[in-house]
Amino acid sequence: MFNYDPVLFSRILTGLTLFVHIIYATIGVGVPLIIALAEWIGIKRNDPHYLLMARRWARGFTVTVAVGVVTGTAIGLQLSLLWPNFMRVAGQAIALPLFMETFAFFVEAIFLGIYLYTWDRFKNRMVHFLLLIPVAIGSSASAFFITTVNAFMNAPRGFDMVEGQMTNIQPLLAMFNPAMPTKVSHVLVTAYVTSAFLLAAIAAIAAIAMLRGRNHTYYKKALRLTMTSALVFALASALIGDLSGKYLHEYQPEKLAAAEWHFETTDKASLILGGILTEENEVKFAIKIPFALSILAGSTPDTVVKGLNEVPPDELPPLRPTHYFFDSMVFIGIYLTLVALWYVIWQRRKRKTGKPISRMLLWAIVIGAPLAVMAIESGWMFAEIGRQPWILWKVMTVAEGATTSNHVDTMLWLFALLYAVLTLTAIRVLIRMFKDNPAEEEIAALGIEGGTKI
Amino acid sequence: MSYELLGITVLWIFLFGYLIVASIDFGAGFFSYVSSITGKRHIINNVIERYLSPVWEVTNVFLIFFYVGLVGFFPDAAYYYGTALLVPGSLATILLAIRGSYYAFSTYGFKNNRVYMFLYGVSGWLIPAALSTVLAVSEGGYITEQGGSITFAFGKLFTNIYPYSVILLALVSVLYISAMFLTYYAAKAEDSAALEVVRKYALFWSTPTILASLFVFYAIRGHNLDHFNNMVSNAWMFILSFLFFLIAVFCVWKRRNYGWAFACVVLQFGFAWFGYGKAHLPYVLYPYVNIHDSITNPSMATALIVVFILGLLILIPSLFLLLRLFLFDANYVKGNKTKA
Ligand code: HDD
Ligand code: HEM
Ligand code: HEM
């Protein structure tokens, strides 16, 4: 087909592993928080439905965690196996957050183990709830630490480069680089939105079936909890997404320009949605929103946005993927916000009108879940491809960082097979877990139908 | 103590922790599978499941910790091993992935599915063998650097006897350590039927373990004489290791002090492990990576050590809580449901 190029295959394999890992990692970051909300409400209101919700979600969560852990182990080892040169150089500066991440994993793993096996072990239910706090903190902390590493790759700080070696290293400066605040917060809140939508979709699917005769307040409560949190986090994602744009304008203008096909440096720059780019770098069929790019970059229409004309041609990131990935992410972000808003408005109106939830809204929620995952993937693709050709921005190129080893192609096929098998089995296990054991049966079995006390 | 010595000692301790907890875990998974073929599963499975279920994720973190720490303290190790070990490293990763996920699928999803049990039982047993080849590679002779490019003589792994000896030791000691632990756990659970089965496993695997250890001694002599001589000058550690082995097996054979017996197993492997490690120093990879030249910059080393100490302050109480709830809680171990 084409010549064997270890750099290319290393990129594909890294991208593939991260593509898979990020799905499970996002669930791992977001779901504990929402389980914690459910259990807390359940204890406070003494409502067994919420407690059962926490319990059911936690059961499914164990399965996704397992795949998250093994794909995370894979990406961790692949960092050295595929990018040995990068690790040798950058390891001098980024070892600290990577090392801290392992402590976060430790805490998460220990308390998750305890949490899962102590549902009925404590007289005071609050003790069991408290066990979840370290799990939620641990997983969010691991996202925090790993994302600082990625931020460092985008905005390397805290060292001097002398003859290909990093010297004069300041580990904390490397960690708290300019990309860190927006990146970390955006990754965290988008993980929360996505998890809220995933859990909402499970309830919505059951609720759609419910319109055909199954009717249970359990699902209504689940939807209310997840969709209300989804609205909060969706608004926060858009807000922090806006700040991320401002970060790019300050520090990585070529990424923003690539995403927006912004060729000439100007003020009053317009935002381009969709469209195609011709061979001559002309933008066609796009929707242009006047001033919007300047506002995204610097809050005022007068902000001068750097264009691609200022970027050396050999440092241009690929233009088409970055634009489309960026657009998908933003579109989906808007979609998720609108759906969550729709739900909350319906919820408020219902108190007066008593109108039941519409099927359309339920379907919109169901579709929101895979879309949210796609937004996460698009966001990462945009962020990573937009950094090309650099692995460490303006310090080391991707080609310099990669392994020289043979056989990366074979490993790629092996891992692709592995991830396909793991993901399919995980889906099978999850479907069986929720479908063969629906909540209303479990409620009936526990004898908590309609009641407030166990 | 210098940074590098402190760093490598900490990492070696964690790798030892992995060796013990992973052996227990992987061996138990293997026994669980084997017993399902021989029809003894109903006897021993309760004991195995009660211990394994809450701890499997923690086991994996020990390995991650070692690996991340190694790369952090000694970035050169990432470079040499990373370049050379793409294929074996990826295969070990795949085994780890199969073991971890199928264990969870089988425990939380499809209980008693033969295929899933086979996958996690057997992959777990092979992981220590796969990982131990890295120890063989670290002895030198497989990775060579010429003109700035690194080559790995993969085929040599199959033609030398040293790697075989290490793999053999890994395969049998996993079963031995695990059976010794399960004996202790079954005794604590007062499950005499299970105890009978696992005690037999423990006694059965003790002889191969000690024979395989001797074989490693013999093989390393032919492979890396320096290392062998260093080991001989630390002979007292290996002698102590052997004495603890004798005590452990004696106790189990006499059906007494199972707790102490397991403690002796830990000491047996501990002395051998640190004797081997001490003799290996200063090399992390003969002859390219040694801890003095490859240590990361001082400010990073300091930062890592500070974080390590702070991390331990969180980690030790948490681990203690885990052990207290699942290992030292008589009611849990016996399978009684009580509210604490
Ligand atoms: C549910 C997921 C999701 C949603 C709805 C959004 N994003 Fe996003 N975005 C991500 C998920 C994400 C991400 C996966 O988390 C990224 C990839 C890398 C990163 O730091 O976060 C990201 C990166 C990212 C970046 C690049 C940051 C960098 O490279 O340093 C920008 C400029 C934005 N986003 C902007 C937005 C805007 C203006 C949105 C408007 C609604 C938006 N995002 C919604
Ligand atoms: C978890 C979310 C992430 C996802 C989904 C993701 C996605 C990707 C993708 C798709 C690529 C291929 C890009 C291309 O071929 O142009 C890539 C490359 C890469 N990523 Fe990321 N990334 C993530 C986070 C990270 C983090 C946290 C790190 C560092 C610790 C990292 C390190 C790398 C490296 C080393 C490469 C190869 C070099 C490159 O192509 O830029 N990634 N990633
Ligand atoms: C190059 C990038 C990455 C590396 C090297 C990496 C490494 C790892 C490793 C080694 C594990 C397994 C830990 C264990 O044994 O418990 C893991 C799991 C996890 N990772 Fe990643 N990771 C990366 C990207 C990310 C990102 C971007 C996030 C968050 C947005 C993330 C969040 C998590 C979480 C929450 C877990 C725990 C497992 C789960 O709950 O699913 N990781 N990761």
Side-chain angles (χ1 to χ4, degrees):
Chain A
M1 236 165 41
F2 42 85
N3 284 341
Y4 174 80
D5 173 12
V7 180
L8 181 68
F9 283 108
S10 297
R11 285 175 63 185
I12 301 175
L13 181 48
T14 307
L16 175 70
T17 305
L18 282 163
F19 186 90
V20 178
H21 178 62
I22 190 62
I23 300 174
Y24 298 97
T26 302
I27 296 173
V29 173
V31 168
L33 184 80
I34 299 175
I35 298 179
L37 277 177
E39 191 172 1
W40 191 67
I41 296 176
I43 294 171
K44 282 290 153 197
R45 299 201 190 145
N46 202 4
D47 184 334
H49 286 152
Y50 284 100
L51 294 176
L52 183 66
M53 218 178 277
R55 208 164 172 150
R56 286 172 64 85
W57 287 342
R59 243 180 258 149
F61 180 62
T62 1
V63 173
T64 58
V65 166
V67 186
V69 166
V70 301
T71 52
T73 309
I75 184 65
L77 292 166
Q78 280 174 359
L79 275 186
S80 294
L81 295 173
L82 299 174
W83 308 98
N85 295 309
F86 165 72
M87 285 306 274
R88 181 189 214 176
V89 176
Q92 297 273 355
I94 55 171
L96 184 65
L98 284 173
F99 195 56
M100 288 177 165
E101 197 196 5
T102 58
F103 281 104
F105 287 143
F106 250 127
V107 170
E108 186 202 346
I110 291 173
F111 283 91
L112 184 63
I114 299 179
Y115 179 80
L116 289 175
Y117 287 90
T118 50
W119 275 98
D120 300 313
R121 224 165 138 183
F122 305 103
K123 274 204 199 76
N124 183 350
R125 285 186 297 188
M126 222 40 189
V127 176
H128 186 251
F129 166 75
L130 288 177
L131 289 171
L132 194 56
I133 304 291
V135 179
I137 293 180
S139 61
S140 288
S142 56
F144 175 94
F145 292 127
I146 194 69
T147 312
T148 59
V149 175
N150 184 270
F152 173 82
M153 294 165 70
N154 282 283
R157 289 287 140 53
F159 62 92
D160 296 323
M161 206 67 185
V162 181
E163 291 164 11
Q165 294 278 344
M166 289 186 176
T167 55
N168 197 10
I169 298 198
Q170 293 164 283
L172 288 177
L173 214 68
M175 246 182 101
F176 292 92
N177 55 66
M180 192 280 294
T182 44
K183 211 162 201 132
V184 167
S185 46
H186 198 53
V187 166
L188 286 176
V189 287
T190 53
Y192 300 145
V193 192
T194 307
S195 304
F197 260 93
L198 284 168
L199 295 175
I202 298 177
I205 290 173
I208 288 169
M210 173 169 100
L211 293 179
R212 301 200 192 100
R214 280 158 72 186
N215 188 347
H216 209 289
T217 44
Y218 172 89
Y219 296 111
K220 293 184 189 155
K221 287 176 181 168
L223 270 181
R224 189 155 80 210
L225 171 65
T226 49
M227 288 310 290
T228 315
S229 7
L231 180 63
V232 175
F233 296 130
L235 289 171
S237 312
L239 182 74
I240 300 169
D242 179 57
L243 294 176
S244 307
K246 297 190 167 36
Y247 154 78
L248 286 185
H249 170 67
E250 272 297 295
Y251 294 94
Q252 286 180 290
E254 73 285 353
K255 199 192 260 186
L256 190 62
E260 285 306 323
W261 293 342
H262 181 59
F263 290 97
E264 301 296 330
T265 305
T266 54
D267 61 349
K268 305 196 174 46
S270 43
L271 194 78
I272 292 175
L273 294 179
I276 57 166
L277 192 64
T278 64
E279 290 295 320
E280 292 79 41
N281 281 346
E282 270 178 76
V283 181
K284 284 199 177 150
F285 310 122
I287 305 169
K288 290 195 179 171
I289 309 176
F291 308 138
L293 182 56
S294 284
I295 293 175
L296 174 68
S299 305
T300 65
D302 299 328
T303 310
V304 176
V305 184
K306 242 181 159 188
L308 292 168
N309 56 334
E310 295 190 30
V311 183
D314 59 336
E315 292 183 13
L316 272 185
L319 297 183
R320 288 177 188 81
T322 37
H323 177 68
Y324 295 125
F325 284 129
F326 183 68
D327 274 8
S328 326
M329 174 178 69
V330 175
F331 265 126
I332 296 169
I334 294 168
Y335 174 86
L336 298 180
T337 315
L338 291 180
V339 172
L341 200 63
W342 181 7
Y343 176 87
V344 170
I345 291 172
W346 164 78
Q347 180 76 36
R348 304 207 105 205
R349 284 240 200 100
K350 191 193 72 171
R351 291 206 196 116
K352 280 189 226 133
T353 61
K355 211 175 113 208
I357 191 163
S358 77
R359 277 183 85 90
M360 261 240 302
L361 175 50
L362 286 174
W363 276 113
I365 293 172
V366 174
I367 295 166
L371 281 183
V373 174
M374 272 169 62
I376 295 276
E377 301 286 9
S378 319
W380 277 110
M381 293 288 187
F382 156 55
E384 299 289 310
I385 296 175
R387 191 184 63 224
Q388 298 301 312
W390 305 107
I391 192 166
L392 262 185
W393 191 71
K394 303 255 162 139
V395 176
M396 184 188 241
T397 63
V398 170
E400 288 163 350
T403 182
T404 47
S405 180
N406 297 320
H407 313 300
V408 185
D409 49 348
T410 322
M411 296 305 115
L412 173 64
W413 308 131
L414 275 181
F415 276 100
L417 183 70
L418 173 77
Y419 300 142
V421 170
L422 288 187
T423 299
L424 288 178
T425 324
I427 291 172
R428 211 177 133 212
V429 169
L430 284 173
I431 288 180
R432 176 153 155 165
M433 204 179 242
F434 285 97
K435 217 174 132 195
D436 290 4
N437 182 17
E440 50 287 11
E441 276 174 29
E442 210 171 327
I443 290 167
L446 289 171
I448 51 179
E449 188 63 52
T452 47
K453 259 217 142 22
I454 291 191
Chain B
M1 223 184 201
S2 59
Y3 289 136
E4 54 262 36
L5 203 55
L6 193 63
I8 197 74
T9 309
V10 164
L11 295 177
W12 203 240
I13 291 173
F14 269 78
L15 197 54
F16 179 64
Y18 183 68
L19 183 141
I20 298 293
V21 290
S23 293
I24 295 175
D25 188 347
F26 295 153
F30 186 75
F31 289 136
S32 174
Y33 172 67
V34 170
S35 66
S36 75
I37 304 177
T38 57
K40 289 203 178 119
R41 190 170 153 86
H42 58 286
I43 307 176
I44 62 169
N45 198 48
N46 272 340
V47 171
I48 290 183
E49 202 165 274
R50 220 172 295 137
Y51 166 75
L52 267 192
S53 304
V55 300
W56 62 271
E57 207 193 336
V58 180
T59 308
N60 194 49
V61 187
F62 273 93
L63 179 66
I64 309 276
F65 185 99
F66 169 76
Y67 155 77
V68 171
L70 183 74
V71 172
F73 277 103
F74 307 103
D76 279 353
Y79 174 68
Y80 284 93
Y81 283 116
T83 309
L85 297 184
L86 176 68
V87 175
S90 298
L91 293 180
T93 312
I94 290 172
L95 285 177
L96 281 166
I98 293 176
R99 154 74 208 201
S101 46
Y102 278 88
Y103 173 74
F105 295 154
S106 166
T107 312
Y108 304 106
F110 293 81
K111 281 216 193 309
N112 303 326
N113 179 318
R114 273 287 171 91
V115 178
Y116 289 16
M117 278 179 351
F118 168 79
L119 282 175
Y120 85 75
V122 173
S123 59
W125 185 48
L126 295 177
I127 290 169
L131 294 178
S132 66
T133 52
V134 180
L135 288 183
V137 169
S138 77
E139 298 291 342
Y142 301 99
I143 297 180
T144 43
E145 187 176 28
Q146 262 172 350
S149 91
I150 291 174
T151 51
F152 178 53
F154 191 62
K156 261 185 161 179
L157 274 180
F158 299 97
T159 52
N160 283 356
I161 63 161
Y162 179 65
Y164 288 106
S165 70
V166 178
I167 289 173
L168 193 69
L169 179 62
L171 289 176
V172 294
S173 40
V174 167
L175 301 180
Y176 167 72
I177 295 175
S178 185
M180 284 301 233
F181 174 81
L182 290 174
T183 305
Y184 157 64
Y185 203 71
K188 229 180 123 106
E190 293 171 16
D191 183 339
S192 50
L195 177 61
E196 273 318 298
V197 176
V198 290
R199 177 179 164 271
K200 279 210 192 86
Y201 288 162
L203 292 177
F204 179 82
W205 288 107
S206 60
T207 321
T209 301
I210 213 68
L211 291 179
S213 314
L214 292 175
F215 181 36
V216 168
F217 260 92
Y218 164 76
I220 203 169
R221 181 159 186 222
H223 193 84
N224 183 335
L225 195 61
D226 283 350
H227 191 184
F228 178 78
N229 287 336
N230 279 341
M231 279 163 76
V232 172
S233 27
N234 290 299
W236 62 275
M237 299 185 87
F238 297 96
I239 293 168
L240 272 180
S241 165
F242 184 67
L243 285 178
F244 282 117
F245 165 79
L246 292 181
I247 301 174
V249 174
F250 178 78
C251 289
V252 171
W253 184 54
K254 285 281 177 199
R255 298 173 188 279
R256 52 195 271 198
N257 304 79
Y258 292 117
W260 285 110
F262 182 68
C264 288
V265 172
V266 174
L267 289 171
Q268 172 201 339
F269 279 86
F271 276 103
W273 183 250
F274 287 95
Y276 169 88
K278 187 162 178 260
H280 204 296
L281 287 181
Y283 291 101
V284 176
L285 169 65
Y286 278 96
Y288 297 108
V289 184
N290 75 52
I291 59 169
H292 304 301
D293 299 335
S294 300
I295 182 80
T296 186
N297 59 86
S299 47
M300 183 54 83
T302 323
L304 291 178
I305 288 167
V306 170
V307 164
F308 175 72
I309 292 168
L310 294 178
L312 279 191
L313 294 181
I314 306 174
L315 197 59
I316 291 176
S318 314
L319 275 176
F320 181 73
L321 183 68
L322 184 75
L323 292 181
R324 219 188 71 146
L325 286 171
F326 298 115
L327 201 53
F328 301 128
D329 184 294
N331 277 322
Y332 176 80
V333 175
K334 288 178 195 159
N336 300 339
K337 273 208 166 170
T338 48
K339 296 215 175 195

